[in-house]
Amino acid sequence: QVQLVESGGGSVQSGGSLRLSCAASGYGIEYYYLGWFRQVPGKKRAGVAAIDFGAGTNYAGSVEGRFTISRDNAKNTLYLTMNKLQPQDTGIYYCAAGSRLLLHRLAESAVNYWGPGTQVTVSS
């Protein structure tokens, strides 16, 4: 019912910042649990951050304090602001939507819709 597409990826030096956007179409993001996942080289895809209907958030320990997830329902867009980026943050970042509460705990099995991903590269 909803289509997602990420933008804002690119290359940045260690310590730098990027903001990723996820534009949704076909249905309002206010009706979904939302999150960001990433796949880093040599590892399986894992959750990064999630946001619920009341703007409550959940972060992976590795990004807590550095990344911020937010949403703008009027623009039908999800964001991930990434600060103090490190080389180990390099990977493909995906936005995700689903109807199950479990998505808020960054469970990939709860994702119903994925964006195609955007590459983030952090150099030292």
Side-chain angles (χ1 to χ4, degrees):
Q1 288 185 325
V2 65
Q3 294 178 328
L4 307 171
V5 60
E6 304 91 343
S7 63
S11 297
V12 65
Q13 294 287 326
S14 180
S17 299
L18 285 173
R19 187 179 76 161
L20 305 182
S21 299
C22 175
S25 61
Y27 213 79
I29 61 171
E30 65 186 62
Y31 298 105
Y32 294 98
Y33 294 98
L34 302 169
W36 290 92
F37 293 73
R38 70 184 179 188
Q39 186 166 26
V40 303
K43 301 190 70 175
K44 294 183 290 185
R45 185 160 56 185
V48 175
I51 188 167
D52 65 15
F53 306 109
T57 57
N58 182 38
Y59 296 93
S62 59
V63 307
E64 180 73 46
R66 298 188 297 120
F67 291 12
T68 302
I69 187 171
S70 60
R71 65 198 294 167
D72 188 332
N73 291 344
K75 297 182 181 295
N76 218 27
T77 301
L78 174 72
Y79 301 98
L80 183 68
T81 302
M82 305 182 294
N83 297 316
K84 299 179 180 178
L85 283 161
Q86 305 166 11
Q88 54 264 46
D89 294 316
T90 293
I92 303 172
Y93 284 69
Y94 303 87
C95 64
S99 59
R100 296 177 60 193
L101 173 64
L102 198 59
L103 198 160
H104 194 248
R105 293 302 179 192
L106 297 172
E108 187 169 336
S109 62
V111 176
N112 297 122
Y113 305 98
W114 293 99
T118 186
Q119 177 71 41
V120 171
T121 302
V122 185
S123 61
S124 60

